[in-house]
Amino acid sequence: MVRPSWSRVPALSAGVLLATALTGCALLGDAGNATTSGQQGSATPTPTGNLVTLMQRLGGDGPVRTLDVEPTGRWQCRDCAGDGVDATGALNPEQTSRLQRMLADPALARETDQARRYRQLCIGVLTSTLLIPPGLTVTIQDCPGEPAPPVAYEVLLLLTQATPADDKG
């Protein structure tokens, strides 16, 4: 479950959405290359799987929490708790395996913003965006009455429960 301190957060503004999209494109370009080179047997082995990035916004002008999780389970969080502090760590092997299974689930492609024709409906709620290669974006708002896409929501829960996600703002 998403921690209570993140339960009600204003939606992203248009400027933040643009910055998020541009950041996501840059991240996805790097992630796609790492995954592809590993699958083609490059000299530097990269585990097969998907890099996933989670971006969360607390408040209309609050900080953006960014979490990158590699296929190995290693993660790096920037501004983890909204206090400017970065952290690193690793998921345990079971969490890593579970995450990669969810990211490989074909149902996830039906949960993308494009497939759902997603548009932000709420103001004042937590907005979480998952960026998954190759160019998939899934946005989830903690919006009353809005159903969460099931596979993406499970990914969100795993990531928020296994990494620092407390708001100190």
Side-chain angles (χ1 to χ4, degrees), residues 1-27:
M1 196 155 125
V2 177
R3 295 189 179 160
S5 61
W6 284 88
S7 63
R8 297 285 175 241
V9 185
L12 296 171
S13 67
V16 172
L17 280 175
L18 178 59
T20 300
L22 293 174
T23 302
C25 290
L27 291 171

Side-chain angles (χ1 to χ4, degrees), residues 38-55:
Q39 291 171 342
Q40 293 175 353
S42 67
T44 306
T46 303
T48 57
N50 289 311
L51 172 96
V52 63
T53 297
L54 169 63
M55 299 172 74

Side-chain angles (χ1 to χ4, degrees), residues 55-78:
M55 299 172 74
Q56 292 182 306
R57 177 115 176 147
L58 178 60
D61 42 341
V64 175
R65 172 185 189 253
T66 304
L67 174 70
D68 296 316
V69 183
E70 298 172 9
T72 62
R74 299 230 6 104
W75 55 263
Q76 178 180 11
C77 185
R78 289 178 300 285

